Amino acid sequence: MLEVISIPTFTDNYVWLIKNTENNHCCIVDPGQAEPVLQVINQQNLILDAILITHHHYDHVDGISDILAASVHPVEIYSSIAMEVGVPINLVAENSQLHLLDNSLQLTVMATPGHKREHVVYYNQTMLFSGDTLFSGGCGRILDGSAAELFSSLQRIKALNENILVYPAHEYTQANLMFCYAVEPQNNNLKQRIEHTAKLRQQGLPTLPNSLKNEKEINVFLRTNEATVSMAMEHKLLEILTSEQAVFTALRAWKDHF
Ligand SMILES: [Zn+2]
């Protein structure tokens, strides 16, 4: 059986650890810090097999070297671009198939440029590690990509099996939902998610993962096809938006200053 554990790092990052509960082998996604990850690995007597990287911001990669230095077993690293970490990198690209944890975990790579051009996500029929491409209630900022690229990446994610659980790299949910609410104050699913999120945060619990199904109900960046969302943006901008991509671009620009 596989279990996914959230390891908080920095102020609002999560490293996701996927563990095979039968043999305690595990892999991790985006270790920006080593210490909190090594603590979990040591406490639970885990054997780290692999590190998966979505993109190359410091808060996703800076823990790699110290984790490798502390590992007695060989660790495979998967990344879409080369890195200098003292061991060979397994380069991945669109449609790469990863067979991890003695083949108990298979993941497919999807290239999702937009936040960063090298950004990839890892997914199968039940889980999606979405890095900084898709958050609960939000999406990444456009840093060295374009709005068209990020829109297209999110549309491809939206088309995946909706029972997938989404594991983003940041706990941004509460702030993101306030933005969604400003766009769609009449969305009842959104109101429920806001209430549920507040309860979880009061107890100090992660709001993640969330189902892709629910994200499609609440996350305005996945709802550019909804009249409520496009009309809200048209009212705000006082212009007609003729495509979903135009609605998305307007949403992303507003969120940058929200
Ligand atoms: Zn990032």
Side-chain angles (χ1 to χ4, degrees):
M1 227 185 72
L2 296 176
E3 184 186 341
V4 184
I5 298 167
S6 64
I7 304 173
T9 56
F10 301 108
T11 49
D12 52 30
N13 283 74
Y14 293 121
V15 175
W16 296 107
L17 183 149
I18 309 108
K19 113 179 175 188
N20 179 324
T21 55
E22 273 129 54
N23 60 16
N24 270 0
H25 282 251
C26 71
C27 56
I28 55 175
V29 184
D30 285 353
Q33 267 184 324
E35 192 50 40
V37 175
L38 291 173
Q39 248 178 37
V40 173
I41 286 176
N42 292 334
Q43 277 165 3
Q44 301 196 22
N45 264 318
L46 303 178
I47 300 152
L48 180 65
D49 285 359
I51 298 176
L52 281 54
I53 302 301
T54 63
H55 67 295
H56 293 254
H57 281 147
Y58 78 96
D59 58 325
H60 300 255
V61 296
D62 273 8
I64 295 174
S65 301
D66 286 350
I67 290 171
L68 290 179
S71 296
V72 262
H73 299 268
V75 179
E76 299 284 338
I77 302 189
Y78 297 89
S79 161
S80 64
I81 53 175
M83 281 187 298
E84 283 302 324
V85 288
V87 298
I89 303 290
N90 299 284
L91 286 176
V92 298
E94 173 72 21
N95 252 324
S96 297
Q97 306 292 325
L98 276 52
H99 301 275
L100 304 161
L101 307 180
D102 297 326
N103 224 6
S104 63
L105 174 64
Q106 285 103 38
L107 291 169
T108 301
V109 175
M110 184 195 292
T112 60
H115 172 67
K116 288 269 282 163
R117 75 189 58 180
E118 80 275 13
H119 203 299
V120 295
V121 301
Y122 300 87
Y123 72 97
N124 61 23
Q125 286 300 307
T126 58
M127 52 184 91
L128 163 69
F129 298 96
S130 62
D132 285 3
T133 294
L134 175 64
F135 301 124
S136 183
C139 66
R141 278 175 189 269
I142 297 160
L143 295 178
D144 65 5
S146 66
E149 282 175 318
L150 185 55
F151 174 69
S152 157
S153 296
L154 290 168
Q155 288 294 306
R156 295 184 64 214
I157 287 175
K158 186 180 172 180
L160 296 174
N161 173 359
E162 68 178 13
N163 294 317
I164 279 177
L165 292 178
V166 183
Y167 296 86
H170 287 275
E171 180 61 67
Y172 288 160
T173 312
Q174 270 189 307
N176 285 341
L177 294 180
M178 287 304 101
F179 177 74
C180 292
Y181 187 75
V183 178
E184 266 196 310
Q186 64 287 80
N187 180 336
N188 286 323
N189 290 315
L190 175 59
K191 286 179 202 162
Q192 280 174 22
R193 175 78 172 141
I194 289 171
E195 282 169 27
H196 184 57
T197 294
K199 278 184 200 143
L200 290 170
R201 295 311 287 159
Q202 275 160 18
Q203 299 167 55
L205 296 172
T207 64
L208 307 167
N210 192 29
S211 69
L212 186 57
K213 179 174 189 296
N214 188 242
E215 286 304 312
K216 285 156 70 172
E217 292 167 349
I218 60 147
N219 187 334
V220 290
F221 294 97
L222 299 180
R223 293 173 60 74
T224 45
N225 58 320
E226 298 290 333
T228 45
V229 175
S230 57
M231 282 168 62
M233 295 317 294
E234 288 181 345
H235 281 137
K236 182 167 171 64
L237 298 176
L238 298 176
E239 62 177 276
I240 302 293
L241 298 169
T242 53
S243 68
E244 277 194 59
Q245 190 186 305
V247 175
F248 174 82
T249 305
L251 283 167
R252 189 56 266 179
W254 184 14
K255 179 68 166 38
D256 284 343
H257 307 287
F258 187 74

